[in-house]
């Protein structure tokens, strides 16, 4: 089984194999890199995740990472894997702005928006949502289109 991996903008990698999580940093390793050859990177064991993640996603500044799987999400601190928040979700999306701003889709027709890890808004789009992505807006995929929703208005 392949591990799930997320890398933040500074080169810090979190990798989950089953529920065991390790971290490593891709920076100047002091080795002469040869194109196409594997590079040994020291790993640090961070412990285990309460779920078997099917995806790991860092937030915009890399301080937090979400593990998603089995209809649940758990937000951890990226440095020490401390639990920050959790809940049920089919899809998860980080905002590109705030540190603790994110949205979850807990069914095909229900979206919850969180600001600083607190739920602030829930809305039901007038269509069945198939996928959701984060960024400057929340992108909701319908049958043959994508709707962009403002984080403030929902």
């Amino acid at each position: 089984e392949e591990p799930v991996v997320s890398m933040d903008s500074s080169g810090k990698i979190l990798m989950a194999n089953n529920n065991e999580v390790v971290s490593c940093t891709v920076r100047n390793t002091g080795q002469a890199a040869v194109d196409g050859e594997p590079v040994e990177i020291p790993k640090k064991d961070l412990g285990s995740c309460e779920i078997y993640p099917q995806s790991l996603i860092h937030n915009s500044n890399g301080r937090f990472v979400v593990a998603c799987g089995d209809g649940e999400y758990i937000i951890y601190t990226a440095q020490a894997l401390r639990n920050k928040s959790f809940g049920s979700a089919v899809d998860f999306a980080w905002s590109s702005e705030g540190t603790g701003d994110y949205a979850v889709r807990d069914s095909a027709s229900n979206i919850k928006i969180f600001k600083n890890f607190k739920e602030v808004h829930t809305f039901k789009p007038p269509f069945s949502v198939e996928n959701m992505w984060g960024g400057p807006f929340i992108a909701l995929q319908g049958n043959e289109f994508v709707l962009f929703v403002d984080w403030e208005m929902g």
Side-chain angles (χ1 to χ4, degrees):
E1 198 171 300
E2 294 291 317
V4 293
V5 179
S6 179
M7 183 169 73
D8 69 9
S9 60
S10 70
K12 180 170 181 164
I13 297 172
L14 288 181
M15 180 172 48
N17 197 0
N18 293 321
N19 69 337
E20 297 299 317
V21 181
V22 297
S23 73
C24 53
T25 303
V26 178
R27 291 195 182 130
N28 186 357
T29 60
Q31 301 172 347
V34 177
D35 192 23
E37 292 294 317
V39 177
E40 286 296 319
I41 300 172
K43 297 176 186 128
K44 177 183 172 189
D45 184 18
L46 292 182
S48 61
C49 181
E50 288 94 18
I51 61 174
Y52 287 94
Q54 293 158 340
S55 68
L56 289 174
I57 310 164
H58 277 89
N59 73 333
S60 60
N61 69 3
R63 288 184 55 205
F64 298 101
V65 66
V66 65
C68 299
D70 301 326
E72 298 181 34
Y73 74 92
I74 304 173
I75 299 173
Y76 293 101
T77 58
Q79 292 288 343
L81 211 64
R82 288 192 189 96
N83 191 324
K84 180 71 176 168
S85 186
F86 62 91
S88 62
V90 177
D91 266 337
F92 184 97
W94 286 111
S95 167
S96 61
E97 297 297 316
T99 301
D101 299 356
Y102 59 94
V104 296
R105 178 173 70 99
D106 57 7
S107 69
S109 62
N110 196 46
I111 309 293
K112 294 179 182 178
I113 299 175
F114 294 77
K115 297 278 185 187
N116 201 20
F117 301 102
K118 306 251 187 291
E119 184 177 338
V120 294
H121 189 58
T122 300
F123 69 97
K124 295 181 183 297
F127 57 90
S128 181
V129 178
E130 296 177 7
N131 263 318
M132 181 175 76
W133 299 277
F137 295 94
I138 305 168
L140 303 174
Q141 178 186 350
N143 188 21
E144 294 182 1
F145 61 91
V146 175
L147 175 69
F148 293 96
V149 179
D150 188 288
W151 284 95
E152 299 300 321
M153 305 305 283

